Amino acid sequence: MLDRPSLLLDIGNSSIKYAWYTFPEEIADLRIFRTSLDSIEALLEQAANCWLCSVVNEETSLFIAALCGKAKIPFHQTRTQAVQFDISNAYAQPQNMGADRWMVILAGAALRDRGEQTNFIVIDAGTAITCDFVVANKHLGGWIAPGLSMARTAVVSQTKRVFDQGQLLDTLTLGNDTPICVAQGALAQLSGMLLQACNIMQSYCSKYELYISGGDARVLISTLAKSENNSACVNINYVENLVLIGLAKIAHQNMAKND
Ligand SMILES: Nc1ncnc2c1ncn2[C@@H]1O[C@H](COP(=O)(O)OP(=O)(O)OP(=O)(O)O)[C@@H](O)[C@H]1O
Ligand SMILES: CC(C)(CO)[C@@H](O)C(=O)NCCC(=O)O
Ligand SMILES: [K+]
C-alpha cells in the first residue's frame, strides 16, 4: 500500500481537481487533472490515502470519507487553521475562511521558501477570485470578489439591455458595443484588483512575490503584461493549482513526521 501515491482532492464551487503525490517528491511538480464525484471511487482504488480540501457542503466530505472507508485507506480533510507552518491567519475566526484559501496561502509559503522573498500575495482566480497578503509570515487579510465569468453573468442578469457574447479577450481596450463593454468591464475589474493588490503590498514591503492560479490566471497575466501602467505588478508567478500544492505540502509534512 505504501508504494501507492496519495490522492490530493480539491473540491471547488464549480469543479473538482486532483493530483497524485508520492513522498518525498517535490511538491511544486504536481500534474493536475479534472474529475467528477462519480469517478473518485475508482481513483481511491489506486491511492495509499486521501487528502481533501473542500469548500462545498459537509455531505460531500462525508461521501468521500465513506469511499475511503470502503477502500480501507486513511482519509484526511484539511481545515483552515489559526497558525500552520509558522503562518498566522488574520481571521479572528479562522474556521470561517475557505479551506481552499488557506491551502493557497500555505502553497505561497512553500513556494516562497525556495526563493528569496518572505513576503507574498496569493491570488486564486476561479469561480470567485480571492487575494491574500502575507508579510513576514503573517497573513494580513484578503479579498473575495466575483470571478471573470461570474462578474459578466452578474451584470447581464441584473440589467435589461446588457448582453454578453462570451468573447474571451486578454487585452484591455475601450469597448464600443455592448458585449465588448461587458467583456472589457470584467477584465478591467479583475486586472484592477491585481494592480490594487500590488499597490497595497508596496505600502507594507518593498519586495514580494505574487503567485496566481485558477482558470482566469493566464488571461489576467497577459492583460497586465500588455498594459502600460502595470509597473506596480512585478514578479508574477503562474501556478496551475495552488490549492493542490498546499495540500501536497501538508501531506508531505505528515509523511515526513511518520517516516
Ligand atoms: N474551459 C473553461 N471552463 C470553465 N471556465 C473557464 C474555462 N476556461 C477559462 N475559464 C475561466 O475560469 C474561471 C473558473 O476558474 P477555475 O476553473 O479555476 O474555477 P473552478 O474550478 O470552477 O473554481 P472553484 O475551484 O472555485 O470551483 C471562470 O471564471 C472562467 O472565466
Ligand atoms: C471564497 C471562496 C468561494 C473561494 O473559493 C471560498 O474560499 C469560500 O467559500 N470561502 C468562505 C468565506 C471566506 O473565505 O471568508
Ligand atoms: K474558487
Side-chain angles (χ1 to χ4, degrees):
M1 202 88 128
L2 276 176
D3 49 338
R4 293 185 185 177
S6 298
L7 178 66
L8 312 176
L9 269 181
D10 164 18
I11 304 193
N13 277 298
S14 1
S15 71
I16 304 180
K17 287 147 213 153
Y18 72 93
W20 297 108
Y21 177 70
T22 309
F23 181 80
E25 215 169 76
E26 188 53 60
I27 64 165
D29 296 339
L30 298 178
R31 274 194 65 198
I32 316 296
F33 305 93
R34 277 177 185 262
T35 189
S36 63
L37 268 187
D38 297 338
S39 308
I40 291 175
E41 186 167 8
L43 294 174
L44 290 171
E45 279 166 18
Q46 300 159 52
N49 52 41
C50 172
W51 290 84
L52 172 67
C53 173
S54 170
V55 294
V56 301
N57 53 33
E58 213 46 42
E59 288 72 45
T60 303
S61 304
L62 291 173
F63 172 70
I64 308 289
L67 292 180
C68 289
K70 210 170 143 195
K72 299 194 172 58
I73 58 169
F75 168 76
H76 309 272
Q77 180 167 8
T78 57
R79 310 269 181 190
T80 305
Q81 310 285 321
V83 180
Q84 196 169 8
F85 301 124
D86 287 334
I87 308 286
S88 61
N89 193 314
Y91 270 39
Q93 295 181 296
Q95 71 275 16
N96 289 348
M97 176 191 276
D100 58 349
R101 284 176 69 193
W102 189 239
M103 290 310 101
V104 163
I105 291 168
L106 296 184
L111 297 174
R112 161 292 305 263
D113 285 342
R114 298 147 31 111
E116 293 177 1
Q117 290 315 318
T118 61
N119 312 315
F120 61 91
I121 300 173
V122 275
I123 296 180
D124 196 1
T127 308
I129 183 167
T130 60
C131 188
D132 283 283
F133 299 76
V134 176
V135 172
N137 285 351
K138 258 185 133 127
H139 169 241
L140 301 177
W143 298 326
I144 303 171
L148 206 56
S149 167
M150 194 194 290
R152 291 167 70 154
T153 307
V155 71
V156 170
S157 69
Q158 316 252 351
T159 52
K160 183 162 161 42
R161 297 180 48 200
V162 181
F163 65 98
D164 189 350
Q165 291 177 333
Q167 285 104 328
L168 295 174
L169 310 168
D170 70 350
T171 309
L172 192 59
T173 59
L174 306 179
N176 49 17
D177 67 10
T178 305
I180 303 292
C181 285
V182 169
Q184 290 292 323
L187 200 54
Q189 285 196 327
L190 271 80
S191 54
M193 189 179 186
L194 258 71
L195 286 174
Q196 284 296 1
C198 296
N199 277 326
I200 286 179
M201 193 62 162
Q202 278 175 358
S203 70
Y204 288 104
C205 55
S206 58
K207 281 190 159 181
Y208 60 89
E209 216 58 58
L210 190 157
Y211 300 100
I212 177 167
S213 69
D216 290 322
R218 286 188 189 279
V219 149
L220 292 176
I221 292 172
S222 55
T223 301
L224 275 187
K226 291 180 193 166
S227 313
E228 278 167 23
N229 302 311
N230 71 348
S231 55
C233 264
V234 288
N235 296 338
I236 300 186
N237 306 282
Y238 171 78
V239 181
E240 188 178 353
N241 187 311
L242 285 161
V243 175
L244 289 171
I245 290 184
L247 265 181
K249 165 87 182 163
I250 292 179
H252 174 98
Q253 190 77 1
N254 186 275
M255 287 182 258
K257 224 168 42 196
N258 300 329
D259 210 20

